[in-house]
Amino acid sequence: MTDTLITDTLAAIPMPALVVAAGERILDGNKAAEKLLESENLAGMHLLTVLRQPSVLDAIEACRASQAARTTRYLTTVGRQDMTYRVHCGFVRNEDRSGVLVTFEDITHLETAEQMRRDFVANVSHELRTPLTALLGFIETLQGPARDDPVARDRFLGIMANEAGRMNRLVRDLLSLSQVEAQERIRPGESVNMTDMVDSVIRNLSPLAEASNVTIKQDVPAEPVKLAADADQIRQVLMNLTENAIKYGGVDGTVTLSLSVMDKDPALRAPGVRVSVRDQGPGIDPIHLPRLTERFYRVDSHRSREMGGTGLGLAIVKHIINRHRGRLKVESELGQGSVFTVILPM
Ligand code: ADP
């Protein structure tokens, strides 16, 4: 290959690529490689001046010695983001010259997805293990020391029912999450009357509200507001948000559900419906807001568990709203309560 052909070939490779000749001298590198290795002109440079990761140097050397392909990883930081590249070294030869073609494939997104999967499995196992350990402990006690103690038995059975209930809610929310994820690419098509929906959610949750002496108010237009949506899923969104407002808003508080229609919603730049759920609770510190819809993210884990929370409610909400191509807006300040607003296109 002539050197211009090498330069043109490297330029045509859609990822950082360079050719290392004998003596660890870089024959040439494309623009993407220069950017990755922060060098203005790679041609003619010694490899060690731009690349110091031993695994990559070893792979290049091994590729040259064996004349066979090698792969390894290159870890770096771009800006403030950690990046992972899969480095592929291929032996290239042209008459009396030979070299190693090194390409860098960005696999950061794969690594991130894999890490998320590992975290999710670890979280689920942890969440299930806690109630399960409690159940096993009480079963053992009931089989042994508390066998003939009816008072203890009743108390332990009560706790066991609670723990089993927690596992049940967790499994229900996990199934719900996976169902919502599976449907995420299917456009919802039912016609849903949102005014009726708000009304039915409030009716459904009134026993829960009464138990905490919470008043639920609604502020909805008199005429029906219809949109194309998945009725069950929208009900779940409003149920989860209102349930949270009752749970976290505190005893004796007021929860307000408001519905409004906009010809041109600023968030959607299109006609939209807004449903907001407002509570007068302790509010949420702004540092938590960006992570609130992550699976199992809780501001106060103890309080969430005490309230029977699974930490999945808002993750489900986010997925459903994504499916509807809507937005979720959370406004909150410590001591000022919270407002969760669902914005749906009409
Ligand atoms: P959980 O099952 O724990 O309620 P969610 O996903 O519904 O899980 O909510 C995640 C976290 O967000 C909760 O643990 C809680 O800390 C916080 N949160 C949600 N809604 C409110 C609210 N209305 N007021 C204060 N904190 C809230």
Side-chain angles (χ1 to χ4, degrees):
M1 276 206 276
T2 64
D3 286 358
T4 39
L5 187 55
I6 292 175
T7 306
D8 289 352
T9 306
L10 286 171
I13 298 176
M15 61 180 80
L18 51 94
V19 176
V20 183
E24 295 191 324
R25 193 174 56 81
I26 298 175
L27 200 60
D28 208 348
N30 63 10
K31 287 265 177 297
E34 287 173 354
K35 192 164 165 222
L36 177 69
L37 302 176
E38 294 173 344
S39 167
E40 295 208 337
N41 185 8
L42 286 170
M45 291 191 75
H46 195 279
L47 185 61
L48 279 175
T49 57
V50 290
L51 228 172
R52 275 178 217 89
Q53 272 181 32
S55 63
V56 182
L57 299 172
D58 289 350
I60 295 172
E61 197 38 53
C63 172
R64 185 194 314 287
S66 63
Q67 303 194 358
R70 286 282 188 281
T71 52
T72 185
R73 269 158 197 267
Y74 178 66
L75 306 174
T76 186
T77 316
V78 175
R80 285 167 66 193
Q81 206 203 338
D82 290 336
M83 308 280 288
T84 308
Y85 289 86
R86 183 185 290 137
V87 180
H88 188 270
C89 305
F91 187 74
V92 286
R93 189 207 312 263
N94 177 31
E95 293 164 4
D96 55 336
R97 288 199 299 168
S98 69
V100 177
L101 172 66
V102 189
T103 50
F104 298 78
E105 180 191 358
D106 183 358
I107 55 163
T108 313
H109 58 292
L110 292 177
E111 292 279 302
T112 312
E114 183 56 24
Q115 186 58 44
M116 277 170 72
R117 195 192 63 76
R118 279 197 295 264
D119 288 350
F120 183 64
V121 172
N123 277 327
V124 171
S125 315
H126 175 77
E127 297 284 339
L128 280 172
R129 202 164 74 184
T130 314
L132 197 54
T133 307
L135 278 176
L136 289 171
F138 284 117
I139 289 171
E140 207 171 287
T141 315
L142 284 174
Q143 284 171 330
R147 182 192 288 270
D148 302 314
D149 180 345
V151 179
R153 191 180 55 214
D154 281 354
R155 198 164 69 82
F156 292 160
L157 282 173
I159 303 173
M160 288 167 75
N162 252 337
E163 297 298 330
R166 174 193 303 284
M167 290 174 74
N168 200 25
R169 280 194 300 279
L170 183 63
V171 172
R172 182 202 61 197
D173 280 1
L174 284 169
L175 282 174
S176 186
L177 193 59
S178 83
Q179 234 169 28
V180 171
E181 275 183 327
Q183 293 174 335
E184 203 152 343
R185 290 180 191 285
I186 307 167
R187 287 297 295 268
E190 285 172 75
S191 169
V192 177
N193 181 349
M194 293 297 288
T195 39
D196 286 353
M197 182 66 87
V198 168
D199 209 45
S200 116
V201 166
I202 293 178
R203 254 184 290 119
N204 257 302
L205 288 175
S206 61
L208 183 73
E210 273 162 27
S212 314
N213 202 27
V214 169
T215 312
I216 310 186
K217 288 190 180 160
Q218 56 170 308
D219 176 12
V220 299
E223 63 279 8
V225 174
K226 292 200 173 161
L227 54 87
D230 181 316
D232 287 343
Q233 290 192 342
I234 295 299
R235 179 186 311 278
Q236 189 165 11
V237 166
L238 299 187
M239 291 281 284
N240 286 4
L241 295 180
T242 312
E243 223 179 295
N244 278 353
I246 298 171
K247 276 189 327 195
Y248 299 108
V251 179
D252 298 336
T254 301
V255 170
T256 313
L257 269 76
S258 325
L259 178 69
S260 59
V261 182
M262 288 209 198
D263 287 341
K264 190 165 183 200
D265 193 288
L268 301 171
R269 299 206 184 97
V273 175
R274 287 188 172 216
V275 188
S276 42
V277 182
R278 178 187 296 271
D279 67 60
Q280 301 168 317
I284 305 163
D285 191 319
I287 58 162
H288 296 292
L289 295 184
R291 299 194 57 194
L292 220 52
T293 56
E294 281 177 24
R295 293 153 189 207
F296 299 116
Y297 189 83
R298 295 164 167 121
V299 175
D300 177 346
S301 312
H302 180 72
R303 185 162 164 74
S304 157
R305 290 205 174 86
E306 209 177 62
M307 300 289 216
T310 59
L312 294 173
L314 291 179
I316 296 172
V317 164
K318 188 188 79 176
H319 277 284
I320 294 177
I321 295 177
N322 280 351
R323 181 185 171 208
H324 287 77
R325 304 196 183 175
R327 306 270 187 285
L328 175 69
K329 206 168 103 189
V330 188
E331 293 155 295
S332 190
E333 237 178 89
L334 281 179
Q336 303 292 317
S338 314
V339 188
F340 285 75
T341 305
V342 181
I343 309 164
L344 297 169
M346 285 190 88

